[in-house]
Amino acid sequence: RWLPRREGSNVGFDAVLEAVAEDEEDPVLDQGALDSIRALQQPNAPSVLVKVIGLYLENSPAMIESLQRYLEEGDIVAISETAHSLKSSSANLGARRLAALCKELEQKGKSGVVENITVLVEQIATEYGFAQSGLQRELDEANCA
């Protein structure tokens, strides 16, 4: 909804996610981080990458919901703590842009700065959607291999 529409264009959200994911200059996921997780794989063992991504995709939606709830409640301490947790887990999986936004939110929360926090939480939710989509693709590829 934030992108300009071209006449006759019917670009949906999935197409936008795909275009962002294919942006080589600033990818949604840092493949180096994912490769580091792949390097932990032991022969004949269940996929470490599948397990780590699965846990993230299982637990992170609740963190996004919590950020939004804490924002409504005005609980800046809880916002900062949740942003810290989401930052760490996102960085481990290579979601650098998401981790950077979470770091900014965490720092604002620690310093008690509430200016632009609503916008920042919205940006985190949007970037989380990109990261979630990219991680789901990684999961699908790993499960097919």
Side-chain angles (χ1 to χ4, degrees):
R1 70 181 184 193
W2 296 284
L3 299 175
R5 287 212 170 258
R6 288 184 281 181
E7 199 62 29
S9 172
N10 191 15
V11 177
F13 187 67
D14 290 341
V16 172
L17 287 178
E18 187 174 311
V20 170
E22 292 176 1
D23 181 1
E24 293 180 16
E25 290 182 22
D26 192 14
V28 171
L29 299 175
D30 175 10
Q31 287 299 313
L34 296 173
D35 290 341
S36 294
I37 296 170
R38 285 184 189 99
L40 300 172
Q41 185 62 46
Q42 298 293 317
N44 302 317
S47 172
V48 174
L49 184 64
V50 167
K51 183 175 182 175
V52 172
I53 291 175
L55 286 170
Y56 179 85
L57 293 176
E58 182 180 316
N59 296 317
S60 54
M63 286 189 252
I64 297 296
E65 290 173 13
S66 292
L67 281 176
Q68 293 166 335
R69 185 178 69 250
Y70 296 143
L71 179 65
E72 291 171 9
E73 295 170 359
D75 189 341
I76 194 74
V77 172
I79 287 172
S80 181
E81 291 170 354
T82 304
H84 173 79
S85 296
L86 186 58
K87 173 193 74 177
S88 300
S89 58
S90 298
N92 288 336
L93 284 166
R96 296 176 305 168
R97 296 186 313 213
L98 178 56
L101 290 168
C102 290
K103 180 179 180 179
E104 184 179 347
L105 182 61
E106 177 187 13
Q107 290 172 339
K108 282 182 180 259
K110 284 182 178 179
S111 63
V113 176
V114 294
E115 184 179 325
N116 296 326
I117 264 189
T118 300
V119 171
L120 198 49
V121 170
E122 290 171 2
Q123 289 173 329
I124 287 170
T126 299
E127 189 61 36
Y128 173 74
F130 296 144
Q132 184 181 36
S133 178
L135 288 168
Q136 187 61 55
R137 275 193 304 278
E138 290 288 335
L139 195 59
D140 292 345
E141 288 174 17
N143 284 327
C144 289

